[in-house]
Amino acid sequence: SDNLYSSLHGDISGVYYYNNKNYNDITARLAAGGGYRNARIDVEVTPFVQKRFYGQGSSGDGNLHSYSESAGLHVDTSYWLTPRWRWQNSLDYSYDKHIKTYNYLDGNRVSIGNTVMFSPTPKQYWFAGLDLSHKSARSASDAYNRFSTRLGWGQEWGWGMSSRLSGNFAYRPYDSKDFFGIVRKDHEYGATLSLWNRNLYFWGITPRLTVAHHKTWSNDKYYEYGKTRMFVEFSKTF
């Protein structure tokens, strides 16, 4: 009543390698809270807890092990400025606590996201975003700020086909020198294309075929890498 609502969110994400299980990485998150919604605005506040499991890399035994635990607060706001313009904002705060082997990474994590979306027609939308985040750590060489921008386009085509194309750029400077005397600075680039057909669905879920490319350039060559992934994505909101 009075436009108030309660909410419960559960999320499990990660990667699984059937032939390299020491690098499996799974994160589970549970959040519960509530918010206020009317025709123009939606504000939701959800405390959350999070648990990450990792295969321990080259020293692993093929099984998943506890890696870190987090607790924090997520605030999400959406506001229709006009029937075609929408502004979205999110705030995430948490404290990450790692197992003893990795406790030098313990610290606060704060992120702020801002997105503006424009829908010139019911079948098309454009969006642009600016995200800021900070990760503190016991080891200053592992603490950083991250500044990123996003730009994207979504389109409904004929015969049930839809697409979403987005690109992003981020700059991540670290706070202090590492063991080799390098103050790490990363430049990150990414592009993602998703395709789906709403006439194709399983148990009420329409799969999306997604291709994602990511590249990181760094002044510390050890952390430079690029990867391209193709995967099928299933999501359901109810």
Side-chain angles (χ1 to χ4, degrees):
S1 60
D2 300 321
N3 296 338
L4 299 174
Y5 65 88
S6 58
S7 57
L8 176 66
H9 303 272
D11 181 82
I12 298 176
S13 60
V15 292
Y16 176 83
Y17 301 99
Y18 69 89
N19 61 347
N20 204 358
K21 295 183 179 181
N22 289 350
Y23 292 91
N24 290 344
D25 194 340
I26 304 294
T27 299
R29 181 165 172 164
L30 181 65
Y36 172 86
R37 178 189 296 135
N38 61 28
R40 296 191 68 178
I41 191 170
D42 186 354
V43 179
E44 182 183 21
V45 180
T46 49
F48 67 87
V49 291
Q50 183 172 289
K51 179 81 172 179
R52 182 179 173 186
F53 301 89
Y54 181 53
Q56 297 186 339
S58 58
S59 60
D61 58 6
N63 297 313
L64 285 170
H65 298 270
S66 179
Y67 178 81
S68 68
E69 297 177 347
S70 305
L73 182 71
H74 178 78
V75 181
D76 196 66
T77 304
S78 175
Y79 183 70
W80 285 97
L81 303 169
T82 73
R84 294 184 178 182
W85 288 91
R86 185 183 186 188
W87 172 71
Q88 294 173 281
N89 174 268
S90 64
L91 171 65
D92 217 83
Y93 170 82
S94 66
Y95 182 82
D96 302 333
K97 183 174 179 58
H98 298 72
I99 62 173
K100 185 177 180 179
T101 306
Y102 305 104
N103 62 8
Y104 58 89
L105 297 173
D106 289 357
N108 298 316
R109 187 187 300 270
V110 182
S111 60
I112 301 173
N114 287 279
T115 304
V116 176
M117 182 178 294
F118 173 62
S119 301
T121 73
K123 294 187 176 183
Q124 184 184 87
Y125 63 88
W126 298 82
F127 65 89
L130 175 64
D131 306 315
L132 308 172
S133 62
H134 172 74
K135 172 69 174 76
S136 63
R138 290 187 180 183
S139 169
S141 62
D142 291 294
Y144 60 82
N145 295 299
R146 187 175 187 271
F147 312 90
S148 63
T149 59
R150 293 173 285 110
L151 184 65
W153 162 49
Q155 181 73 47
E156 288 187 22
W157 307 95
W159 306 286
M161 288 296 301
S162 297
S163 65
R164 186 178 189 270
L165 176 65
S166 64
N168 66 280
F169 166 75
Y171 173 58
R172 189 201 305 244
Y174 284 73
D175 287 1
S176 183
K177 295 179 180 179
D178 61 16
F179 178 79
F180 299 100
I182 300 174
V183 180
R184 182 177 158 194
K185 295 179 175 65
D186 294 350
H187 295 81
E188 306 171 10
Y189 302 83
T192 303
L193 173 64
S194 294
L195 301 171
W196 65 96
N197 190 311
R198 62 177 177 270
N199 296 323
L200 177 65
Y201 55 88
F202 304 93
W203 308 288
I205 301 175
T206 297
R208 297 188 181 195
L209 177 63
T210 299
V211 180
H213 176 73
H214 177 87
K215 177 68 177 180
T216 294
W217 280 278
S218 177
N219 62 332
D220 187 340
K221 299 303 179 182
Y222 181 78
Y223 291 99
E224 282 197 350
Y225 71 96
K227 64 180 178 180
T228 300
R229 298 180 297 146
M230 178 182 291
F231 54 92
V232 177
E233 179 182 4
F234 292 84
S235 62
K236 177 71 172 178
T237 301
F238 54 88

